[in-house]
Amino acid sequence: MKLIDLPGDVPRRGARVIALLAVPCCLAQFTPREKPTGPWMDKSLSPDRRAELVMREMTRDEKIQLVHGAGMVGIGKSDPVIVRSNGGGGFVPGIPRLGLPDLNMNDSSVGSGGGARKGRYSTAMPSSLALASGWDANLARDVGALIGRELADQGYNVSLGGGVNITREPRNGRNFEYLGEDPILAGNLVAAWIQGVQSEGVIGDIKHYAVNDQETGRYFTNAIIGKRELRETDLLAFEIGVKRGKPGMVMCSYNLINGAWACENEYTLNQVLKKEWGFPGWVISDWFGTHSTVKAANAGLDQEQPDGRYFSDALKKAIDGGEVSAARLDDMVHRILRTEFAAGIVDDPRPSRVPDIFRGFSVAQRAAEETMVLLKNQDARLPLNAASLRSIAVIGGHADAGVLSGGGSAQVDAAGGNAVPDPNLKNDILSIFSQVVFHRSSPLRAIREAAPSVKVTFDPGTDPAAAAAAAKAADVAIVFVLQHTSEGKDQASLALPDGQDALVERVAAANPRTIVVIESGGPVLLPWAGKVSAILEAWYPGIRGGEAIANVLFGTVNPSGKLAVTFPTSDSDLPRATVPAPPGKMPSPLDGLTDARPPFPASYDEGLKVGYKWFDAEKKAPAYPFGFGLSYSTFAYSDLKVTGGNSLAVNFTVRNTSRRAGAEVAQVYLSFPDAANEPPKRLIGWEKIALKPGESRVVSLAVDPLYVSVFDAAAEAWKIVPGEYRVMAGPSSAALPLAAKASLAGAR
Ligand code: BGC
């Protein structure tokens, strides 16, 4: 068992991946724990008091040890303690003599990642953007709990998930890891997800704080945005997520925000997060996202990851020199330790065990089924009736093999290996990091099982003429189209790549009963939408995606997802023609040497007008609006009643007017008085309700005052503008049959 020494000139991030792949499995099994004693082990004391008590026993070196990562497995010569690491994305050795556990951190946006390196399985859940399309906090909590449970099963006690950067840039390659374009929806869902993770005794995370809204040049992007705009968009998602979800950690991002690196940004860290929101946990840097010792420590960064370039010896020196106070080091350590006590990882470490794959399958399938969005269903082509069909042609998208997933650190390894292995995959870090991975949940197989008496053929779609012939010979054609996205790069365009539009056109011309299933990381352009009879957006649907798709197509499941992102008709309708990019040669997405290049500005001039707010304000018609999604049921809205004054309450009735049980996401939007100077409308509430045929339900919402507030940048405070508001309710941002006026009193 030998640690691997890597030459200093290997890019650090790259070295990490090579090293992780090369280290033997058995190194991680050893986690020393001494029987802890001392007053801080008294469970009846508060986490803060316990942290105070244990810190009295700690040397300065022990404190320093807690405020930075110990490197990643196999990187560097220095730290033999790294052999204790469980092999995840981050590791901070504990202090056995005081009973303080190692912190074993792992990426977990859609499941516990990187398991293949150790032959460990975890459930691949649908993408986070899929989860957002469920509009269902209970579902988000259940998914978070499943992920937390499997992290613990695999020996991790800290999650690195919780991505909530809003979809300001629809071409962002990481949108699949985030929760859509609306900060109130995203904030509430990430909060529920974090609650789920933490309910399993794992410390939760929210990331990437903040305005890390694109991957292009992500280590150097200087996000330029006004203060009011910042607070009402990107930061609002975090504000809700932090206050409601109470994560143990906040991960600051790579980029700069208005000229200051996010991990040394006095405004976002000290002023807003810690002082204004009262966040008691710790701020952890994104990997190699720390740029200084003194500035970062004094601005509010509490822990550097994944190593100690700035927060080890350099921090000691800064304390000796008086540039960082000893009290600030104590504050960092206190925040980490109080979180450990609060999470229970000191008292009740969870034993490792084999994940319950059956439970995982059931949560993953439910999540996929409840989040797919039916975009079109002309002449009620769906659900398919197996009894009335003789043949189905399934075409393209590797639907014979599996379903697509998103790449990068969120990648959950495919059980049994990639269903569509790339024979030419190079063994370099960049290729492995951004490889296209399919999970072995074949839609073709599931369709065959759903329709055993129907002849179901498969054509790979590589030759449009052959695909068209297959479609022509069948009663129904189902074309699968793909958009792969990954951390580290953005899409040049929302158009589907590799001639898939032409394939759909050819198939649709050959068979009027053509259904398209999309597996995508975010919105895509659907220029052929008018020519096909049905479109189902399945996102990256996870380990049971194939089965979920078949269940929706055949009506075993009634679709109930609604878009958490706007689908435009063209890239030119977006706020920017292209994603802002640095001049010159693009840095590698894995180039972590962040000081090597000067920042470049990304001016987010659309400000408040993110997503549907942009389309509303600019009077551009989207292809499919935010909040939109069809069901096999139909619903009617009536009886809107609103009360204003000091707070806003909204009541209305939704009725299932069909003969099929279904669920509807009923949405409420608000138009502000002119004096507020807001975009035309804002989502302020929703409820997902399951209704039997003919059943009606009253939706009653007491709207959080924050959701009707605007941020007064000069006063640095939220306020409610007095005046007359318009409240609207309905099935999507573009279909709001109910409207009523309400007056709100001003407030701060
Ligand atoms: C990503 C984070 C991730 C970290 C650790 C970074 O490159 O931006 O989201 O948690 O790596 O793997």
Side-chain angles (χ1 to χ4, degrees), residues 13 16 89 107 160 174 177 207-208 218-219 251 254 286-287 409 487:
R13 180 75 196 239
R16 152 200 173 179
D107 280 304
L160 298 175
R174 290 189 94 170
E177 282 188 70
K207 71 184 186 184
H208 306 87
R218 65 173 173 162
Y219 299 112
M251 186 189 290
Y254 286 128
D286 199 345
W287 270 227
S409 59
E487 176 178 344

Side-chain angles (χ1 to χ4, degrees), residues 303-318:
Q303 190 180 67
E304 178 187 7
Q305 287 292 352
D307 58 15
R309 178 170 172 197
Y310 295 106
F311 271 31
S312 181
D313 291 346
L315 182 57
K316 279 190 222 168
K317 236 165 103 192

Side-chain angles (χ1 to χ4, degrees), residues 190-443:
V190 82
W193 187 92
I194 292 164
Q195 287 163 7
V197 169
Q198 300 199 148
S199 71
E200 292 288 336
V202 167
I203 292 173
D205 172 39
I206 189 168
K207 71 184 186 184
H208 306 87
Y209 188 66
V211 210
N212 184 179
D213 295 344
Q214 63 177 68
E215 290 295 283
T216 305
R218 65 173 173 162
Y219 299 112
F220 318 94
T221 315
N222 180 15
I224 311 285
I225 181 166
K227 190 178 271 186
R228 170 178 175 187
E229 289 76 10
L230 175 66
R231 295 300 302 268
E232 290 189 27
T233 60
D234 297 67
L235 258 55
L236 180 56
F238 281 93
E239 178 163 2
I240 298 166
V242 166
K243 289 181 176 168
R244 295 192 171 207
K246 303 194 182 352
M249 300 190 317
V250 172
M251 186 189 290
C252 51
S253 54
Y254 286 128
N255 53 291
L256 305 92
I257 308 161
N258 294 328
W261 294 106
C263 289
E264 54 181 52
N265 195 305
E266 168 68 25
Y267 179 68
T268 52
L269 299 181
N270 271 346
Q271 231 174 291
V272 176
L273 174 67
K274 292 186 172 176
K275 201 155 157 245
E276 199 189 309
W277 300 347
F279 173 64
W282 86 89
V283 176
I284 181 173
S285 77
D286 199 345
W287 270 227
F288 306 112
T290 307
H291 294 267
S292 64
T293 302
V294 175
K295 193 166 180 211
N298 290 334
L301 178 66
D302 299 306
Q303 190 180 67
E304 178 187 7
Q305 287 292 352
D307 58 15
R309 178 170 172 197
Y310 295 106
F311 271 31
S312 181
D313 291 346
L315 182 57
K316 279 190 222 168
K317 236 165 103 192
I319 295 169
D320 290 339
E323 293 158 298
V324 175
S325 68
R328 174 68 188 111
L329 174 63
D330 280 352
D331 176 45
M332 297 175 189
V333 175
H334 181 100
R335 288 170 171 277
I336 296 166
L337 292 178
R338 65 96 49 214
T339 307
E340 292 187 22
F341 285 115
I345 67 170
V346 180
D347 304 315
D348 304 305
R350 287 271 308 271
S352 302
R353 61 183 174 190
V354 179
D356 179 348
I357 56 164
F358 307 103
R359 186 187 187 119
F361 271 28
S362 125
V363 176
Q365 185 163 332
R366 181 182 139 224
E369 289 173 348
E370 293 180 8
T371 60
M372 290 183 188
V373 183
L374 183 60
L375 293 175
K376 178 171 182 183
N377 193 14
Q378 195 181 309
D379 305 326
R381 281 279 188 252
L382 294 177
L384 295 173
N385 178 359
S388 68
L389 293 173
R390 278 167 299 137
S391 55
I392 299 175
V394 176
I395 294 163
H398 298 287
D400 55 331
V403 288
L404 187 59
S405 61
S409 59
Q411 183 77 62
V412 173
D413 294 302
N418 193 345
V420 187
D422 175 358
N424 302 317
L425 183 72
K426 293 202 213 94
N427 197 17
D428 65 75
I429 328 114
L430 188 55
S431 310
I432 292 168
F433 187 75
S434 51
Q435 68 176 304
V436 182
V437 174
F438 288 77
H439 293 294
R440 291 170 183 259
S441 171
S442 155

Side-chain angles (χ1 to χ4, degrees), residues 61-116:
D61 279 351
E62 284 171 333
K63 291 178 184 171
I64 292 280
Q65 178 183 317
L66 293 188
V67 299
H68 64 86
M72 301 175 80
V73 178
I75 294 187
K77 301 177 188 160
S78 50
D79 204 342
V81 97
I82 194 76
V83 297
R84 283 186 353 222
S85 164
N86 194 30
F91 177 68
V92 180
I95 303 169
R97 76 177 185 89
L98 299 173
L100 299 175
D102 294 342
L103 293 179
N104 274 299
M105 310 177 165
N106 204 26
D107 280 304
S108 46
S109 292
V110 297
S112 182

Side-chain angles (χ1 to χ4, degrees), residues 489-628:
K489 61 173 197 264
D490 296 321
Q491 303 295 108
S493 159
L494 296 179
L496 290 169
D498 307 326
Q500 294 180 95
D501 287 338
L503 172 68
V504 177
E505 298 263 2
R506 285 292 289 273
V507 171
N511 189 330
R513 296 172 63 159
T514 292
I515 295 154
V516 180
V517 178
I518 309 164
E519 294 167 27
S520 71
V524 286
L525 305 181
L526 311 174
W528 32 258
K531 300 177 186 159
V532 301
S533 52
I535 306 172
L536 178 66
E537 171 57 88
W539 313 111
Y540 300 147
I543 191 76
R544 296 291 284 173
E547 292 76 7
I549 289 169
N551 281 346
V552 172
L553 293 178
F554 286 92
T556 317
V557 166
N558 190 349
S560 61
K562 303 249 183 167
L563 294 179
V565 284
T566 304
F567 275 45
T569 53
S570 76
D571 287 301
S572 60
D573 276 353
L574 300 177
R576 274 167 294 281
T578 53
V579 181
K585 191 173 162 287
M586 281 291 285
S588 154
L590 294 177
D591 180 1
L593 302 172
T594 49
D595 298 320
R597 290 189 53 161
F600 71 96
S603 294
Y604 294 133
D605 298 329
E606 73 285 352
L608 297 175
K609 294 183 285 180
V610 175
Y612 63 93
K613 294 168 187 162
W614 167 263
F615 283 79
D616 276 355
E618 302 294 316
K619 299 196 169 34
K620 291 177 191 286
Y624 295 98
F626 176 80
F628 176 78

